[in-house]
Amino acid sequence: MKTKIMQKLGMSWLILLFLSLPALAQRDTLVQVSTIDALLGGLYDGSMSIGELCRHGDFGIGTFDKLNGEMLVVEGTVYRVRSDGGVDIVADSETTPFAAVTFFDAELQKQIPAGTDYQSFKQWLDNLLPSPNLFYAVRIEGRFRFMKTRSVPPQHKPYPALAEVARHQPEFAFEDVAGVIVGYRSPAFVKGIGVPGYHLHFLTRDRLAGGHILGFTVDRARVTVDQTADLLLRLPETSGFSGMDLGKDRSTELKQVEQEHR
Ligand code: ZN
């Protein structure tokens, strides 16, 4: 009798181990919905529900159906920074046309020198990372002397290109503000699929404001990094995506979109 129970237990442990193997592998996978070039070209129709997105990660950034605001996924909660500057917690039933999530496991941690701005932060962190050719989920928590962000308003069909939308983007400036930065540092070769280099979003500690980061100066903050070597790309199986011309080089448009409106 005893041996039978032992055997049964042994078997269930084996099954449990077998079932959890894919789940363990997935934790270190960066899951991305659609491509940056499709978004730049105006593909703003959501193709994955927020509920499904959350099954692929508890950390990330993106946008929403119709390009309705900037997305942050912080510890499994999905936030939208609206174009009026306010913040919503987003329902599972909403959808995203572009997002990248992963399960965040802290690997490298380091205090950022006070006074570091966005440009010098990029060089500073690049020097600490083992290779420019892997993906890194980047999380910064702390206080900032200065923070500049933007958001985008929901669009109507026929959708204008993202560079056109960004020309009229509402921008927000904060002084002496505490909060969290969520985003990625991606390899240069990701061009066309994702954003090469840094792509970061900000959310205030009180979760009432934030946006896509245009600039900042650190007061006292700590960066945590999760290295990722696996990328899973979920392309939209929609007529909108299938019919798009995605052969064009949109790197100049991406630069326009990433920077401040002038
Ligand atoms: Zn962004």
Side-chain angles (χ1 to χ4, degrees), residues 60-88:
I61 54 175
T63 186
F64 299 95
D65 184 50
K66 299 182 172 61
L67 199 70
N68 186 7
E70 305 284 349
M71 177 198 291
L72 289 98
V73 187
V74 186
E75 278 130 32
T77 302
V78 181
Y79 299 91
R80 175 200 348 263
V81 181
R82 300 189 308 260
S83 59
D84 66 3
V87 175
D88 304 315

Side-chain angles (χ1 to χ4, degrees), residues 3-25:
T3 30
K4 247 190 177 170
I5 291 170
M6 292 295 277
Q7 275 173 351
K8 264 194 175 168
L9 271 176
M11 193 55 126
S12 56
W13 272 113
L14 267 178
I15 290 167
L16 197 67
L17 184 67
F18 180 73
L19 287 174
S20 59
L21 275 177
L24 283 173

Side-chain angles (χ1 to χ4, degrees), residues 61-62 70 150 199-201 211-213 258:
I61 54 175
E70 305 284 349
R150 69 104 194 272
H199 182 191
L200 306 175
H201 289 186
H212 169 104
I213 292 180
E258 288 298 299

Side-chain angles (χ1 to χ4, degrees), residues 103-209:
F103 288 99
F104 193 86
D105 298 303
E107 285 165 5
L108 184 154
Q109 272 196 61
K110 189 113 179 149
Q111 196 74 23
I112 307 167
T116 304
D117 66 13
Y118 193 10
Q119 284 309 319
S120 45
F121 168 76
K122 293 176 190 179
Q123 289 166 7
W124 176 83
L125 188 59
D126 277 358
N127 287 332
L128 293 174
L129 297 175
S131 165
N133 299 332
L134 296 166
F135 291 88
Y136 302 93
V138 177
R139 181 193 165 106
I140 304 171
E141 187 128 32
R143 185 163 280 280
F144 304 87
R145 290 177 191 166
F146 172 76
M147 176 66 67
K148 187 158 193 182
T149 65
R150 69 104 194 272
S151 186
V152 277
Q155 301 298 306
H156 306 283
K157 286 184 178 176
Y159 292 137
L162 191 51
E164 181 53 36
V165 177
R167 262 192 271 278
H168 316 284
Q169 66 191 14
E171 295 178 2
F172 313 104
F174 308 86
E175 276 176 23
D176 191 28
V177 64
V180 63
I181 291 174
V182 164
Y184 298 98
R185 197 260 181 227
S186 303
F189 61 74
V190 83
K191 182 174 169 283
I193 294 172
V195 178
Y198 289 84
H199 182 191
L200 306 175
H201 289 186
F202 175 68
L203 191 63
T204 57
R205 185 176 286 166
D206 59 17
R207 307 299 192 238
L208 295 177

Side-chain angles (χ1 to χ4, degrees), residues 20-43:
S20 59
L21 275 177
L24 283 173
Q26 263 180 16
R27 270 198 81 80
D28 239 350
T29 302
L30 178 60
V31 177
Q32 187 181 304
V33 180
S34 190
T35 68
I36 191 69
D37 276 14
L39 192 75
L40 286 166
L43 195 83

